[in-house]
Short mmCIF file of all heavy atoms in Angstrom, two decimals:
data_model
loop_
_atom_site.label_atom_id
_atom_site.label_comp_id
_atom_site.label_asym_id
_atom_site.label_seq_id
_atom_site.Cartn_x
_atom_site.Cartn_y
_atom_site.Cartn_z
N TYR A 22 -10.32 -59.21 -15.00
CA TYR A 22 -9.36 -59.66 -16.00
C TYR A 22 -7.93 -59.61 -15.42
O TYR A 22 -7.17 -60.57 -15.57
CB TYR A 22 -9.44 -58.78 -17.23
CG TYR A 22 -8.54 -59.27 -18.37
CD1 TYR A 22 -9.00 -60.19 -19.31
CD2 TYR A 22 -7.20 -58.89 -18.44
CE1 TYR A 22 -8.19 -60.67 -20.31
CE2 TYR A 22 -6.36 -59.37 -19.41
CZ TYR A 22 -6.85 -60.25 -20.37
OH TYR A 22 -6.03 -60.73 -21.34
N LEU A 23 -7.60 -58.53 -14.73
CA LEU A 23 -6.26 -58.35 -14.20
C LEU A 23 -5.95 -59.35 -13.10
O LEU A 23 -4.85 -59.92 -13.04
CB LEU A 23 -6.08 -56.93 -13.70
CG LEU A 23 -6.09 -55.84 -14.78
CD1 LEU A 23 -6.18 -54.46 -14.15
CD2 LEU A 23 -4.86 -55.96 -15.68
N LEU A 24 -6.92 -59.60 -12.21
CA LEU A 24 -6.65 -60.55 -11.12
C LEU A 24 -6.52 -61.97 -11.66
O LEU A 24 -5.71 -62.75 -11.22
CB LEU A 24 -7.75 -60.47 -10.06
CG LEU A 24 -7.53 -61.36 -8.83
CD1 LEU A 24 -6.20 -61.08 -8.19
CD2 LEU A 24 -8.65 -61.16 -7.82
N ASP A 25 -7.34 -62.29 -12.66
CA ASP A 25 -7.26 -63.60 -13.30
C ASP A 25 -5.88 -63.79 -13.93
O ASP A 25 -5.26 -64.85 -13.80
CB ASP A 25 -8.35 -63.73 -14.36
CG ASP A 25 -8.33 -65.09 -15.05
OD1 ASP A 25 -8.64 -66.09 -14.40
OD2 ASP A 25 -7.98 -65.12 -16.26
N ALA A 26 -5.39 -62.76 -14.62
CA ALA A 26 -4.09 -62.81 -15.25
C ALA A 26 -2.97 -62.90 -14.20
O ALA A 26 -2.02 -63.69 -14.36
CB ALA A 26 -3.88 -61.60 -16.15
N TYR A 27 -3.10 -62.12 -13.14
CA TYR A 27 -2.08 -62.12 -12.08
C TYR A 27 -1.99 -63.50 -11.42
O TYR A 27 -0.89 -64.02 -11.18
CB TYR A 27 -2.42 -61.07 -11.05
CG TYR A 27 -1.49 -60.99 -9.86
CD1 TYR A 27 -0.11 -60.88 -10.04
CD2 TYR A 27 -2.01 -61.05 -8.56
CE1 TYR A 27 0.73 -60.80 -8.94
CE2 TYR A 27 -1.15 -60.97 -7.47
CZ TYR A 27 0.21 -60.85 -7.66
OH TYR A 27 1.05 -60.79 -6.58
N GLU A 28 -3.13 -64.12 -11.17
CA GLU A 28 -3.19 -65.42 -10.53
C GLU A 28 -2.56 -66.49 -11.42
O GLU A 28 -2.00 -67.46 -10.93
CB GLU A 28 -4.65 -65.77 -10.21
CG GLU A 28 -4.80 -67.01 -9.34
CD GLU A 28 -6.25 -67.23 -8.93
OE1 GLU A 28 -7.12 -67.26 -9.83
OE2 GLU A 28 -6.51 -67.35 -7.73
N ASP A 29 -2.73 -66.33 -12.76
CA ASP A 29 -2.30 -67.38 -13.67
C ASP A 29 -0.91 -67.15 -14.30
O ASP A 29 -0.55 -67.85 -15.25
CB ASP A 29 -3.33 -67.48 -14.84
CG ASP A 29 -4.65 -68.10 -14.38
OD1 ASP A 29 -4.68 -68.66 -13.26
OD2 ASP A 29 -5.64 -68.00 -15.12
N MET A 30 -0.16 -66.22 -13.77
CA MET A 30 1.14 -65.87 -14.38
C MET A 30 2.03 -67.07 -14.56
O MET A 30 2.53 -67.35 -15.66
CB MET A 30 1.83 -64.81 -13.54
CG MET A 30 1.38 -63.40 -13.77
SD MET A 30 2.22 -62.24 -12.64
CE MET A 30 3.93 -62.50 -13.13
N GLU A 31 2.25 -67.83 -13.50
CA GLU A 31 3.18 -68.96 -13.56
C GLU A 31 2.65 -70.06 -14.46
O GLU A 31 3.39 -70.65 -15.26
CB GLU A 31 3.44 -69.49 -12.16
CG GLU A 31 4.18 -68.53 -11.25
CD GLU A 31 5.53 -68.12 -11.82
OE1 GLU A 31 6.20 -68.99 -12.39
OE2 GLU A 31 5.88 -66.93 -11.73
N LYS A 32 1.34 -70.34 -14.35
CA LYS A 32 0.75 -71.40 -15.17
C LYS A 32 0.82 -71.03 -16.64
O LYS A 32 1.17 -71.88 -17.51
CB LYS A 32 -0.73 -71.59 -14.77
CG LYS A 32 -1.41 -72.73 -15.54
CD LYS A 32 -2.90 -72.80 -15.20
CE LYS A 32 -3.67 -71.67 -15.88
NZ LYS A 32 -5.13 -71.84 -15.73
N ASP A 33 0.56 -69.76 -16.97
CA ASP A 33 0.60 -69.33 -18.38
C ASP A 33 2.01 -69.35 -18.93
O ASP A 33 2.24 -69.67 -20.09
CB ASP A 33 -0.02 -67.93 -18.52
CG ASP A 33 -1.53 -67.93 -18.31
OD1 ASP A 33 -2.15 -68.99 -18.48
OD2 ASP A 33 -2.08 -66.88 -17.99
N LYS A 34 2.97 -69.00 -18.09
CA LYS A 34 4.36 -69.03 -18.55
C LYS A 34 4.79 -70.47 -18.84
O LYS A 34 5.46 -70.74 -19.84
CB LYS A 34 5.26 -68.44 -17.45
CG LYS A 34 6.74 -68.33 -17.86
CD LYS A 34 7.58 -67.75 -16.75
CE LYS A 34 7.26 -66.28 -16.55
NZ LYS A 34 8.13 -65.65 -15.53
N LYS A 35 4.39 -71.37 -17.95
CA LYS A 35 4.72 -72.78 -18.13
C LYS A 35 4.08 -73.36 -19.39
O LYS A 35 4.69 -74.16 -20.10
CB LYS A 35 4.27 -73.56 -16.90
CG LYS A 35 4.59 -75.06 -16.93
CD LYS A 35 4.12 -75.76 -15.67
CE LYS A 35 4.43 -77.23 -15.72
NZ LYS A 35 3.97 -77.94 -14.48
N ASN A 36 2.81 -72.95 -19.66
CA ASN A 36 2.07 -73.48 -20.79
C ASN A 36 2.28 -72.65 -22.09
O ASN A 36 1.69 -72.95 -23.11
CB ASN A 36 0.56 -73.50 -20.49
CG ASN A 36 0.23 -74.44 -19.37
OD1 ASN A 36 0.95 -75.39 -19.10
ND2 ASN A 36 -0.89 -74.18 -18.67
N ASN A 37 3.15 -71.64 -21.96
CA ASN A 37 3.39 -70.75 -23.10
C ASN A 37 2.10 -70.09 -23.59
O ASN A 37 1.89 -69.91 -24.81
CB ASN A 37 4.07 -71.51 -24.25
CG ASN A 37 4.75 -70.58 -25.23
OD1 ASN A 37 5.19 -69.46 -24.86
ND2 ASN A 37 4.81 -70.97 -26.48
N SER A 38 1.24 -69.71 -22.63
CA SER A 38 -0.03 -69.07 -22.95
C SER A 38 0.10 -67.55 -22.72
O SER A 38 0.95 -67.11 -21.93
CB SER A 38 -1.15 -69.60 -22.05
OG SER A 38 -1.35 -70.99 -22.28
N TYR A 39 -0.74 -66.80 -23.35
CA TYR A 39 -0.68 -65.34 -23.24
C TYR A 39 -1.01 -64.89 -21.82
O TYR A 39 -1.96 -65.38 -21.21
CB TYR A 39 -1.63 -64.65 -24.21
CG TYR A 39 -1.69 -63.16 -23.99
CD1 TYR A 39 -0.71 -62.31 -24.48
CD2 TYR A 39 -2.75 -62.60 -23.28
CE1 TYR A 39 -0.74 -60.95 -24.26
CE2 TYR A 39 -2.80 -61.23 -23.04
CZ TYR A 39 -1.81 -60.40 -23.52
OH TYR A 39 -1.86 -59.06 -23.32
N ASN A 40 -0.24 -63.95 -21.33
CA ASN A 40 -0.53 -63.29 -20.05
C ASN A 40 0.12 -61.91 -20.09
O ASN A 40 1.34 -61.82 -20.25
CB ASN A 40 0.01 -64.10 -18.87
CG ASN A 40 -0.49 -63.59 -17.54
OD1 ASN A 40 -0.31 -62.42 -17.21
ND2 ASN A 40 -1.13 -64.47 -16.78
N PRO A 41 -0.66 -60.86 -19.99
CA PRO A 41 -0.08 -59.49 -20.10
C PRO A 41 1.02 -59.19 -19.07
O PRO A 41 1.95 -58.46 -19.39
CB PRO A 41 -1.29 -58.59 -19.91
CG PRO A 41 -2.32 -59.40 -19.17
CD PRO A 41 -2.11 -60.80 -19.68
N PHE A 42 0.92 -59.77 -17.88
CA PHE A 42 1.90 -59.49 -16.86
C PHE A 42 3.26 -60.11 -17.22
O PHE A 42 4.30 -59.60 -16.80
CB PHE A 42 1.44 -60.02 -15.50
CG PHE A 42 0.36 -59.19 -14.87
CD1 PHE A 42 -0.91 -59.70 -14.66
CD2 PHE A 42 0.60 -57.86 -14.48
CE1 PHE A 42 -1.91 -58.93 -14.08
CE2 PHE A 42 -0.39 -57.10 -13.92
CZ PHE A 42 -1.63 -57.62 -13.71
N ASN A 43 3.24 -61.20 -17.97
CA ASN A 43 4.48 -61.82 -18.39
C ASN A 43 5.17 -61.07 -19.52
O ASN A 43 6.31 -61.38 -19.89
CB ASN A 43 4.24 -63.27 -18.80
CG ASN A 43 3.88 -64.15 -17.65
OD1 ASN A 43 4.30 -63.89 -16.52
ND2 ASN A 43 3.12 -65.22 -17.88
N ASN A 44 4.48 -60.09 -20.10
CA ASN A 44 5.02 -59.30 -21.18
C ASN A 44 5.54 -57.93 -20.73
O ASN A 44 6.02 -57.16 -21.55
CB ASN A 44 3.97 -59.07 -22.28
CG ASN A 44 3.66 -60.36 -23.06
OD1 ASN A 44 4.35 -61.37 -22.91
ND2 ASN A 44 2.65 -60.31 -23.90
N ILE A 45 5.38 -57.64 -19.47
CA ILE A 45 5.75 -56.33 -18.94
C ILE A 45 7.11 -56.38 -18.28
O ILE A 45 7.42 -57.26 -17.47
CB ILE A 45 4.68 -55.82 -17.95
CG1 ILE A 45 3.33 -55.66 -18.64
CG2 ILE A 45 5.12 -54.49 -17.33
CD1 ILE A 45 2.21 -55.31 -17.68
N ASN A 46 7.93 -55.40 -18.60
CA ASN A 46 9.27 -55.32 -18.00
C ASN A 46 9.26 -54.32 -16.87
O ASN A 46 9.50 -53.09 -17.09
CB ASN A 46 10.29 -54.92 -19.09
CG ASN A 46 11.73 -54.95 -18.58
OD1 ASN A 46 12.00 -55.56 -17.54
ND2 ASN A 46 12.59 -54.23 -19.25
N VAL A 47 8.98 -54.77 -15.65
CA VAL A 47 9.02 -53.92 -14.47
C VAL A 47 9.85 -54.62 -13.42
O VAL A 47 9.99 -55.85 -13.43
CB VAL A 47 7.60 -53.62 -13.94
CG1 VAL A 47 6.81 -52.80 -14.94
CG2 VAL A 47 6.88 -54.88 -13.56
N GLN A 48 10.38 -53.83 -12.48
CA GLN A 48 11.28 -54.41 -11.49
C GLN A 48 10.58 -55.35 -10.54
O GLN A 48 11.10 -56.43 -10.19
CB GLN A 48 11.96 -53.28 -10.70
CG GLN A 48 13.07 -53.75 -9.77
CD GLN A 48 13.87 -52.59 -9.20
OE1 GLN A 48 13.50 -51.44 -9.37
NE2 GLN A 48 14.93 -52.92 -8.49
N ASN A 49 9.40 -54.98 -10.08
CA ASN A 49 8.63 -55.82 -9.13
C ASN A 49 7.23 -56.02 -9.68
O ASN A 49 6.36 -55.16 -9.49
CB ASN A 49 8.60 -55.17 -7.75
CG ASN A 49 8.07 -56.11 -6.67
OD1 ASN A 49 7.17 -56.89 -6.94
ND2 ASN A 49 8.64 -56.05 -5.50
N ILE A 50 7.00 -57.12 -10.35
CA ILE A 50 5.71 -57.35 -11.02
C ILE A 50 4.59 -57.53 -10.02
O ILE A 50 3.46 -57.16 -10.28
CB ILE A 50 5.82 -58.59 -11.97
CG1 ILE A 50 4.58 -58.67 -12.86
CG2 ILE A 50 5.98 -59.87 -11.17
CD1 ILE A 50 4.46 -57.54 -13.86
N ASP A 51 4.89 -58.10 -8.82
CA ASP A 51 3.84 -58.29 -7.82
C ASP A 51 3.33 -56.97 -7.30
O ASP A 51 2.12 -56.76 -7.17
CB ASP A 51 4.37 -59.14 -6.68
CG ASP A 51 4.62 -60.59 -7.09
OD1 ASP A 51 3.76 -61.15 -7.79
OD2 ASP A 51 5.69 -61.14 -6.76
N GLU A 52 4.23 -56.06 -7.00
CA GLU A 52 3.83 -54.74 -6.54
C GLU A 52 3.09 -53.97 -7.60
O GLU A 52 2.09 -53.30 -7.34
CB GLU A 52 5.05 -53.94 -6.06
CG GLU A 52 5.64 -54.41 -4.73
CD GLU A 52 4.63 -54.34 -3.61
OE1 GLU A 52 3.90 -53.34 -3.52
OE2 GLU A 52 4.56 -55.32 -2.81
N TYR A 53 3.55 -54.10 -8.83
CA TYR A 53 2.92 -53.43 -9.95
C TYR A 53 1.47 -53.95 -10.12
O TYR A 53 0.54 -53.15 -10.30
CB TYR A 53 3.70 -53.66 -11.24
CG TYR A 53 3.05 -53.12 -12.48
CD1 TYR A 53 3.09 -51.76 -12.80
CD2 TYR A 53 2.35 -53.97 -13.35
CE1 TYR A 53 2.46 -51.27 -13.94
CE2 TYR A 53 1.72 -53.50 -14.48
CZ TYR A 53 1.78 -52.14 -14.79
OH TYR A 53 1.18 -51.66 -15.91
N ALA A 54 1.31 -55.27 -10.07
CA ALA A 54 -0.01 -55.86 -10.24
C ALA A 54 -0.97 -55.43 -9.13
O ALA A 54 -2.11 -55.05 -9.39
CB ALA A 54 0.13 -57.38 -10.25
N LYS A 55 -0.49 -55.43 -7.90
CA LYS A 55 -1.32 -55.03 -6.78
C LYS A 55 -1.72 -53.54 -6.86
O LYS A 55 -2.83 -53.17 -6.51
CB LYS A 55 -0.63 -55.36 -5.46
CG LYS A 55 -0.72 -56.84 -5.10
CD LYS A 55 -0.15 -57.12 -3.73
CE LYS A 55 1.36 -57.27 -3.79
NZ LYS A 55 1.94 -57.76 -2.51
N GLU A 56 -0.80 -52.74 -7.34
CA GLU A 56 -1.07 -51.32 -7.47
C GLU A 56 -2.21 -51.05 -8.48
O GLU A 56 -3.11 -50.26 -8.21
CB GLU A 56 0.20 -50.57 -7.90
CG GLU A 56 1.18 -50.34 -6.76
CD GLU A 56 2.43 -49.63 -7.23
OE1 GLU A 56 2.43 -49.17 -8.41
OE2 GLU A 56 3.39 -49.54 -6.45
N ILE A 57 -2.15 -51.68 -9.63
CA ILE A 57 -3.17 -51.43 -10.62
C ILE A 57 -4.51 -52.09 -10.25
O ILE A 57 -5.57 -51.57 -10.61
CB ILE A 57 -2.75 -51.85 -12.05
CG1 ILE A 57 -2.45 -53.35 -12.13
CG2 ILE A 57 -1.56 -51.05 -12.54
CD1 ILE A 57 -2.15 -53.81 -13.55
N LEU A 58 -4.43 -53.18 -9.52
CA LEU A 58 -5.67 -53.77 -9.00
C LEU A 58 -6.35 -52.86 -8.00
O LEU A 58 -7.55 -52.64 -8.07
CB LEU A 58 -5.36 -55.12 -8.36
CG LEU A 58 -5.12 -56.32 -9.30
CD1 LEU A 58 -4.52 -57.49 -8.55
CD2 LEU A 58 -6.43 -56.73 -9.99
N MET A 59 -5.58 -52.31 -7.07
CA MET A 59 -6.14 -51.40 -6.08
C MET A 59 -6.61 -50.10 -6.72
O MET A 59 -7.63 -49.53 -6.28
CB MET A 59 -5.10 -51.09 -5.00
CG MET A 59 -4.69 -52.31 -4.16
SD MET A 59 -6.11 -53.13 -3.37
CE MET A 59 -6.71 -51.83 -2.30
N LEU A 60 -5.94 -49.65 -7.74
CA LEU A 60 -6.38 -48.45 -8.45
C LEU A 60 -7.74 -48.65 -9.08
O LEU A 60 -8.62 -47.80 -8.96
CB LEU A 60 -5.36 -48.07 -9.53
CG LEU A 60 -5.64 -46.80 -10.34
CD1 LEU A 60 -5.65 -45.58 -9.41
CD2 LEU A 60 -4.64 -46.64 -11.47
N ASN A 61 -7.93 -49.81 -9.70
CA ASN A 61 -9.23 -50.09 -10.32
C ASN A 61 -10.33 -50.24 -9.27
O ASN A 61 -11.47 -49.83 -9.50
CB ASN A 61 -9.15 -51.38 -11.17
CG ASN A 61 -8.64 -51.11 -12.56
OD1 ASN A 61 -9.36 -50.60 -13.42
ND2 ASN A 61 -7.37 -51.40 -12.79
N LEU A 62 -9.98 -50.82 -8.12
CA LEU A 62 -10.96 -50.93 -7.04
C LEU A 62 -11.36 -49.57 -6.49
O LEU A 62 -12.52 -49.36 -6.11
CB LEU A 62 -10.40 -51.81 -5.92
CG LEU A 62 -10.39 -53.31 -6.21
CD1 LEU A 62 -9.83 -54.07 -4.99
CD2 LEU A 62 -11.76 -53.84 -6.53
N SER A 63 -10.43 -48.64 -6.46
CA SER A 63 -10.75 -47.28 -5.96
C SER A 63 -11.71 -46.59 -6.93
O SER A 63 -12.63 -45.91 -6.51
CB SER A 63 -9.48 -46.47 -5.77
OG SER A 63 -8.85 -46.18 -7.00
#
């Protein structure tokens, strides 16, 4: 779910579609996304 959302961030923003990453206020969204993806993989 998270990787699908991360991959579709720009498309979802353009289409005004829901994406949890676009709703999060963090300084570096790419690093944040990769961190939680790697955490789940561990």
Side-chain angles (χ1 to χ4, degrees):
Y22 186 91
L23 292 169
L24 184 55
D25 180 69
Y27 177 54
E28 189 175 54
D29 289 346
M30 279 177 61
E31 294 302 320
K32 183 185 74 172
D33 289 338
K34 184 181 290 185
K35 182 179 179 181
N36 296 334
N37 199 28
S38 299
Y39 172 79
N40 190 304
F42 286 115
N43 290 333
N44 289 351
I45 298 175
N46 184 19
V47 295
Q48 189 170 7
N49 191 323
I50 192 65
D51 291 315
E52 286 301 317
Y53 174 79
K55 283 185 277 189
E56 283 179 9
I57 60 174
L58 283 167
M59 294 305 297
L60 181 63
N61 275 283
L62 284 181
S63 68

